[in-house]
Amino acid sequence: MNTNQPKTQQQHQPGSTINPLDDRLIKLESVLARVNMSHPKLYALISAGKFPDAVAVPNTGPKMQRKTLWRLSDVVNWIQGLPFKGQLEK
């Protein structure tokens, strides 16, 4: 393992299927499709601290708008952390 990695590089999380070198940023539409929920439900979970927040990526294009994207690894780790149906409290 290379111990000379930059400190800004995200480390591979145990149980994650995403290698940090393969990690990428995904748009809202992709997040919604992966978690199969509506836009309002997703933002309600983010507001409640129950879903990973997006990262703000500066845009250097003509409109200079920030892009709101999610790390694929954050979304995958959230999905993998969900309980199975039999593990839910009644």
Side-chain angles (χ1 to χ4, degrees):
M1 177 174 226
N2 184 1
T3 57
N4 296 327
Q5 295 176 339
K7 293 184 186 277
T8 57
Q9 183 176 346
Q10 182 178 359
Q11 297 298 314
H12 183 62
Q13 298 295 319
S16 173
T17 59
I18 303 295
N19 181 322
L21 299 176
D22 296 331
D23 204 1
R24 62 184 181 275
L25 298 175
I26 58 175
K27 295 180 180 182
L28 174 63
E29 295 79 19
S30 182
V31 174
L32 295 174
R34 287 177 186 276
V35 298
N36 194 27
M37 66 177 63
S38 68
H39 183 271
K41 175 66 175 175
L42 178 72
Y43 277 99
L45 288 174
I46 292 170
S47 294
K50 296 181 179 180
F51 191 86
D53 206 352
V55 295
V57 179
N59 185 1
T60 57
K63 294 184 180 180
M64 299 298 290
Q65 295 175 336
R66 290 189 327 171
K67 293 182 181 181
T68 302
L69 304 168
W70 281 259
R71 287 183 191 93
L72 177 59
S73 60
D74 289 345
V75 175
V76 169
N77 288 335
W78 181 84
I79 292 169
Q80 290 177 341
L82 292 173
F84 289 98
K85 187 175 179 180
Q87 295 174 328
L88 295 175
E89 293 182 20
K90 296 179 181 182

